[in-house]
Amino acid sequence: METGDSIVEIGATVPTGFEYLIKEECKEKLENEAQCRRGKVYFPIKFEDLHKVITLRGVDNVFIVAKEIVKDERLLDEKEAAIKFLVNFTEGFNWLPALNAWQSFTGTNFDLTLPDPNNSSEQRNLPSFRVTCTRSGQRHKFGSPDGACHIGGKINDMYHWPVKMKNSDLDIMVDITDDSVIFGIALTRASLHRRNITHFGPTTLRPTVAYGMLRLANPKPGEVVCDPMCGGGSVTIEGACSWASNYFVAADINKVGTERAVGNLTDMAASRKIEQGKGALMNDVLRWDVCKLPLKTNSVDVFISDMPFGKRMGSKYRNWQLYEQGLREMARVCRPTTGRAVLLTQDKKCMQKTLYQFTTMWRKKTQLFINMGGMSACVYLLQRCKDKLNHEDSSENTPMEESGDVADDNMEESGDGADDNMEESGDGAADDEGFK
Ligand SMILES: C[S@@+](CC[C@H](N)C(=O)[O-])C[C@H]1O[C@@H](n2cnc3c(N)ncnc32)[C@H](O)[C@@H]1O
């Protein structure tokens, strides 16, 4: 970004694997062409439109690109030389346009000019700051903390801003990939993916991943969208926020899960009312077993679900039965030809084998590999085939509450949904700050 530009270059982190879906979102909402890189999208935006970046639902963190170094071998030099190159570079470009854009976005009023060397006693309103450095690539001879420390030292020398590691005003990001670097200034203090969830569980899905799944499903106005294994409800809440002309229904076998979903929905409705003057979301939460859906045949347009991976939730062994029965039952309820399912799982082997058995019910249209806090997971977009399925053997079922005897007993027997089971798995504390 150069002085006098009215265009600001923005970078945003996105769930790895969903870059192209978010590129589409940028095009739709901001009318620009984003460039995709692994886990990030970059796009230009007019200075006056900067506030619109927070309307993006598929991005986690947003930052202004202050400067970029592309393909410079000096980054791969010996430690001292590479750090010296970075430090000199930090001093050598004009930070002011990016700083001004940041100030305008945040509505702050700091003095962001370089200090006057002839007037050291001057009282100035300076921001506190910190530098974070991320690095990918094997060939660097220095570590990320070295980079952050030396670049931070140089910025402190230049601007005299005080360093503050927690709750700093300015968050400078240095993102190094092989022989390229981006210097950025964060626009979002907390990741935007946190916006929907107040009640966290051990497998809470990031709303930004949920958003990507919904985009892949592409709900048309009026379609009924169902998450039959909803947990805390990330998918259904994100769906109801972003696709207001659809009806969303979500359910889980586990009472703790549905209570969490209701808690999240209630808090979301309250904050919508206060912040946006909007009403409750078009959303219902029920309790059921996905293998016996209490729904009419051909009554749902889209199923979207984050299935138990068999790690923090359920077990790989039990998945064989759950995936088979669940996919069969979803096929019964899903409208032939137009119906779709978007299913996320890490248990790819089980999913592939199950789909292989069900080629007359489900046609695999796309599969996207995504990174879920270090785990490689896969999102499948399935189209409901028009072929008949054995409706004869799938009678329509009764909801758990009504049948009375299935609910809790059933959970204990299957073990799948019970919360005790989650704790037993031993890794209940989700990495990545509570998100799966
Ligand atoms: C990976 S978690 C979903 C997490 C959810 N996306 C969230 O954001 O909290 C899978 C969910 O499937 C539910 N589940 C397992 N077996 C089920 C079944 N037979 N019927 C319905 N839900 C089931 C579990 O209780 C769990 O909440």
Side-chain angles (χ1 to χ4, degrees), residues 197 199-207 210 227-235 251-258 260-261 264 287-293 305-310 312-314 319 322 326 344 400 410-411 414-419 422 435-436:
I197 305 295
H199 299 252
F200 293 91
T203 58
T204 298
L205 186 70
R206 279 173 184 253
D227 180 352
M229 290 172 275
C230 71
S234 293
V235 170
D252 202 283
I253 198 167
N254 179 0
K255 192 165 173 230
V256 179
T258 53
R260 226 173 250 139
N264 284 324
R287 233 175 121 208
W288 67 38
D289 179 353
V290 67
C291 307
K292 294 180 195 165
L293 293 172
S305 207
D306 161 25
M307 321 253 300
F309 286 8
R312 286 189 196 124
M313 177 66 63
N319 276 353
L322 176 70
L344 164 67
M400 294 183 104
N410 197 26
M411 283 200 296
S414 76
D416 258 342
D419 247 18
M422 298 187 219
F435 284 95
K436 184 167 99 171

Side-chain angles (χ1 to χ4, degrees), residues 241-253:
C241 288
S242 299
W243 282 265
S245 54
N246 291 90
Y247 168 62
F248 288 83
V249 58
D252 202 283
I253 198 167

Side-chain angles (χ1 to χ4, degrees), residues 9-204:
E9 185 69 19
I10 296 292
T13 56
V14 303
T16 307
F18 282 169
E19 294 86 350
Y20 282 89
L21 291 168
I22 308 313
K23 178 183 161 108
E24 279 171 23
E25 187 191 10
C26 291
K27 177 123 191 151
E28 216 174 87
K29 294 187 177 159
L30 309 175
E31 293 171 18
N32 60 30
E33 278 302 330
Q35 305 285 323
C36 298
R37 298 200 199 150
R38 192 179 148 74
K40 296 200 180 69
V41 293
Y42 291 92
F43 53 86
I45 192 166
K46 285 192 196 137
F47 189 90
E48 60 269 27
D49 288 341
L50 204 49
H51 60 280
K52 291 188 186 165
V53 298
I54 50 164
T55 62
L56 296 174
R57 307 287 308 188
V59 304
D60 288 318
N61 290 294
V62 184
F63 55 93
I64 297 173
V65 177
K67 195 74 187 173
E68 187 174 13
I69 307 177
V70 185
K71 293 201 177 300
D72 197 314
E73 290 281 319
R74 284 174 286 182
L75 282 163
L76 309 175
D77 280 349
E78 289 309 310
K79 179 174 170 176
E80 218 168 284
I83 295 276
K84 191 167 172 206
F85 167 67
L86 277 171
V87 167
N88 288 343
F89 196 85
T90 304
E91 193 178 20
F93 74 88
N94 183 5
W95 285 80
L96 206 54
L99 288 170
N100 285 339
W102 168 80
Q103 178 122 281
S104 153
F105 182 85
T106 51
T108 48
N109 193 21
F110 293 109
D111 182 347
L112 298 171
T113 54
L114 286 163
D116 177 357
N118 302 320
N119 189 0
S120 55
S121 58
E122 187 190 14
Q123 282 294 317
R124 302 170 71 220
N125 179 22
L126 300 178
S128 59
F129 86 110
R130 69 169 182 166
V131 176
T132 47
C133 179
T134 49
R135 232 171 18 86
S136 53
Q138 306 292 319
R139 292 181 293 159
H140 306 120
K141 310 275 187 327
F142 60 94
S144 308
D146 291 327
C149 171
H150 286 89
I151 293 169
K154 177 46 81 184
I155 292 176
N156 178 264
D157 288 349
M158 287 159 61
Y159 287 97
H160 300 176
W161 298 335
V163 176
K164 197 171 168 204
M165 295 316 284
K166 270 197 175 163
N167 296 325
S168 53
D169 299 308
L170 257 172
D171 210 340
I172 309 263
M173 301 161 60
V174 182
D175 182 13
I176 308 177
T177 308
D178 298 316
D179 54 0
S180 302
V181 188
I182 287 175
F183 290 82
I185 302 177
L187 288 182
T188 43
R189 203 173 265 276
S191 175
L192 293 177
H193 75 243
R194 295 191 152 269
R195 54 191 152 194
N196 298 351
I197 305 295
T198 41
H199 299 252
F200 293 91
T203 58
T204 298

